[in-house]
Amino acid sequence: SEFLPFAAAWPRVRAGYLEWLAAHEAGGARFEQSEVAREMPYGALTLIGRLDRIDRQADGHSLLIDYKTEPSATTKARIKDGPEDTQLAFYAALMEDDTLAAAYVNLGEKEPTKTYGQPDIVGLRDELVDSILTDMARIARGAPLPALGEGKACDYCAARGLCRKDYWES
């Protein structure tokens, strides 16, 4: 019953995705894994996550893919300010690979399915990991941290309440 609202759009979404997939594979990319649960230790801290998809590109490098079913303008805004897009950087932190690429694939109902790559994902990953390790060390020393989280993405975060401003303001 949860799928019923999407039933009318599904044939267009499916056709658009299959068209994207054919072009993606024609460029040399090959499917490797999907719904991959990963853990990556960083000292005493272990990052845990699930990747939508990992492909192998024609050049042999990994491509991390996260699917989005949102307006393309929202996806474009995600990658516009690289350091603010922590999702792909976090997924990259789950990989032991300094040559990988990462992208969102926007599955459009009214627009074609399209890839939105995040440039310099390795640098963004390294910045994010450094920030996480710094913040966790500060927490361990008892330092109070500002509540910085806000936005729709936080609704799905397993750590909701740790950094959400709405929890700290009340």
Side-chain angles (χ1 to χ4, degrees):
S1 65
E2 291 179 23
F3 187 71
L4 286 177
F6 304 102
W10 181 245
R12 284 189 313 276
V13 172
R14 180 188 59 222
Y17 175 77
L18 292 174
E19 187 176 316
W20 169 86
L21 183 62
H24 179 69
E25 290 178 344
R30 294 292 172 253
F31 172 83
E32 202 166 88
Q33 296 177 293
S34 64
E35 290 299 318
V36 183
R38 300 288 302 237
E39 294 185 10
M40 181 63 68
Y42 286 94
L45 181 68
T46 300
L47 301 182
I48 300 169
R50 180 175 301 276
L51 306 170
D52 282 359
R53 178 175 172 152
I54 302 172
D55 279 10
R56 185 70 51 192
Q57 299 181 99
D59 63 6
H61 297 135
S62 293
L63 171 63
L64 307 181
I65 294 175
D66 188 71
Y67 293 109
K68 292 295 179 201
T69 56
E70 61 193 11
S72 61
T74 304
T75 308
K76 288 175 192 174
R78 287 180 186 281
I79 61 170
K80 187 175 182 179
D81 185 7
E84 289 297 314
D85 176 30
T86 57
Q87 185 176 7
L88 287 178
F90 187 89
Y91 291 160
L94 298 171
M95 304 284 291
E96 291 185 44
D97 187 343
D98 286 337
T99 60
L100 59 85
Y104 293 112
V105 172
N106 188 285
L107 305 170
E109 287 183 33
K110 298 175 183 171
E111 304 173 76
T113 295
K114 186 174 177 184
T115 304
Y116 295 90
Q118 181 58 277
D120 190 29
I121 193 62
V122 173
L124 294 172
R125 173 205 64 195
D126 293 347
E127 287 178 31
L128 179 66
V129 168
D130 182 59
S131 178
I132 290 170
L133 294 175
T134 299
D135 287 348
M136 294 307 290
R138 291 182 65 214
I139 290 170
R141 291 190 309 269
L145 297 177
L148 300 173
E150 57 185 86
K152 288 190 277 183
C154 297
D155 292 341
Y156 305 100
C157 180
R160 183 176 167 83
L162 178 63
C163 65
R164 283 292 298 242
K165 287 181 182 179
D166 59 346
Y167 279 80
W168 287 69
E169 290 175 350
S170 51

